[in-house]
Amino acid sequence: MNLIHYTKRSSAASCQKKWLARHLEGRTLVTRIGDGNLTIVIFQALLERLRNKRLVFVGDSLIRGQWVSMVCLVDSILPKTLKSMHSTANASLNIFKAKEYNASIEHYWSPLLVESNSDDPVNHRVPERTVRVNAIEKHAKYWTDADFLVFNTYLWWRRPLMNVLWGSFGDPDGVYKKVKMLRVYEMALRTWSDWLEVHVNRKKTQLFFVSMSPIHTRAEEWGADNGNNCYNETDMITEEGYWGQDSDPKMMQVVENVVDDLKARGLSVQILNITQLSEYRKEGHPSIYRKQWYPLTKEQIANPKSYADCIHWCLPGVPDVWNELLYAYIFHQ
C-alpha cells in the first residue's frame, strides 16, 4: 500500500485540513481529517462491487449509523439524478439507490433481530421490553435476497432479565416469562442462525456480524472525575487495551459460539470486531450535539452531561472506520 500525505489549508478557517490518499491495488481511498471529523470517501471501486446487488444493514440505531456512514461514503461521487432514497415496510426499511449501478445500500430496523415490541422504527421506547425469541420471519423476509448482510444486536439486550413471549402479541394464550438476558440472547441468535442456515444462498450472500459498540458513560473508567461521561471529552483514551465495563465479553462469546456452529454447518459469517478499536474513542460521540426528541428541562440545560449522548457516534467518525473494514472484506473475500 502506498501512502501519500499532504495538507491543505481551508480558505474559510485557519484550521488545517489533512488529507491521506491510499492507493490499494489500483483503487483509491481518500481520507480527510479536519475539525476533529473523519471523512472517508470510497470511489467507484465499491459501487462497482455492488453493481446489481443489495447491501443490507440489519439491527439497531448503531448499525443504522454505520449505514448512514456507508451511504455518505458513496453519495459524494453520484450526481443527484442518479441516486434516490426511500422507505418501505412502515419505514423499517430505508433504501439508498445508486441508479447507474443498480445498487442499493439499505438499513432494516430490527434492534433485537427477533420479533419484539420494540420493532416500530419510531415508537420503540417501551417500559417492558418483550421478545418473541423464536420468531424472526416477520423481519427476515426483507433480507432474503440480499447479496451482503451486515447484522448487529447488543445494546438493546443490556438488562439482567428479558421478558420472553411464547405465542403472538395480542394472543390471550401467549406465555410470558422472565429469563436471564444472556440465555435469551443466545436463544435469539440461535433462531437467527437457523434462519440463515435454511434461507441464505451460500453461493451469493456474504454475511457479517458487527461486534459490540462501546459506550463511554463512566469517566472514572479512564481516570477522569467520577460522575462525568463523554461530555467535553476531546482526546482519545491512550491506555493500551482499555476496556469499559459496559462491553460484555460473555455476550461476544455467545456470538462467537453461534457463528462457529454455523461454520461447522457450512455457512460462514465474518465477525467485524470493532469493539477494541472503538473503546479508545471517548471523544467520538455526539455528546450534547444531537437531536433532542423532547424539550430539555432547566435542570438538564444547567447540567449538560445529564443529556449527553455517549452511545452513538459522530459522522463523519468512528463508523467510517468500521466501513473501511467492511469494504476490505467485501472486496477481497
Side-chain angles (χ1 to χ4, degrees), residues 81-279:
T81 57
L82 294 179
K83 57 190 175 186
S84 65
M85 180 81 76
H86 73 277
S87 300
T88 187
N90 191 33
S92 290
L93 182 63
N94 293 288
I95 303 170
F96 174 83
K97 191 84 171 180
K99 298 179 182 178
E100 179 182 358
Y101 296 86
N102 190 33
S104 67
I105 303 173
E106 309 173 26
H107 172 258
Y108 184 83
W109 172 261
S110 180
L112 296 136
L113 293 187
V114 293
E115 190 175 340
S116 76
N117 63 346
S118 299
D119 287 341
D120 189 288
V122 177
N123 300 312
H124 49 249
R125 295 172 178 84
V126 294
E128 185 71 21
R129 191 165 297 160
T130 302
V131 295
R132 291 185 65 206
V133 76
N134 294 321
I136 199 170
E137 184 60 34
K138 170 188 171 182
H139 301 314
K141 63 184 179 182
Y142 294 102
W143 325 328
T144 303
D145 296 327
D147 300 271
F148 306 95
L149 278 169
V150 187
F151 297 93
N152 91 320
T153 188
Y154 169 68
L155 189 64
W156 285 67
W157 295 92
R158 297 290 291 152
R159 51 189 61 196
L161 298 172
M162 293 290 290
N163 202 31
V164 181
L165 166 62
W166 282 270
S168 301
F169 287 106
D171 181 356
D173 296 323
V175 177
Y176 291 83
K177 185 178 181 180
K178 294 283 188 182
V179 182
K180 289 184 178 180
M181 178 276 293
L182 200 63
R183 174 62 181 137
V184 184
Y185 189 60
E186 180 178 8
M187 292 167 68
L189 287 178
R190 294 292 178 186
T191 297
W192 166 78
S193 69
D194 288 345
W195 185 91
L196 292 177
E197 182 184 13
V198 172
H199 293 90
V200 161
N201 183 340
R202 289 165 165 77
K203 296 181 179 179
K204 172 183 177 181
T205 304
Q206 291 185 33
L207 301 169
F208 304 89
F209 192 100
V210 181
S211 69
M212 303 173 296
S213 174
I215 66 177
H216 293 92
T217 57
R218 308 181 193 188
E220 62 271 19
E221 293 184 359
W222 58 83
D225 291 340
N226 190 16
N228 287 344
N229 53 27
C230 71
Y231 173 65
N232 264 351
E233 292 288 350
T234 57
D235 296 316
M236 294 173 56
I237 295 171
T238 58
E239 176 192 343
E240 185 175 354
Y242 170 83
W243 191 271
Q245 295 179 28
D246 287 300
S247 295
D248 188 345
K250 292 181 180 179
M251 293 181 70
M252 201 60 236
Q253 187 61 57
V254 169
V255 174
E256 292 177 0
N257 291 343
V258 171
V259 167
D260 286 345
D261 287 348
L262 262 179
K263 185 175 181 180
R265 288 181 273 164
L267 189 61
S268 176
V269 178
Q270 177 65 53
I271 295 179
L272 289 182
N273 194 339
I274 54 85
T275 307
Q276 184 69 79
L277 65 88
S278 306
E279 286 278 8

Side-chain angles (χ1 to χ4, degrees), residues 16 29 50 69 109 125 134 138 162 167 213 244 262 282 305 319 321 324:
Q16 287 283 336
L29 304 178
L50 296 179
S69 163
W109 172 261
R125 295 172 178 84
N134 294 321
K138 170 188 171 182
M162 293 290 290
S213 174
L262 262 179
K282 61 180 170 62
K305 67 185 179 184
V321 180
E324 274 203 282

Side-chain angles (χ1 to χ4, degrees), residues 6-17:
Y6 64 94
T7 61
K8 178 181 179 181
R9 182 172 296 276
S10 168
S11 59
S14 60
C15 67
Q16 287 283 336
K17 299 289 187 183

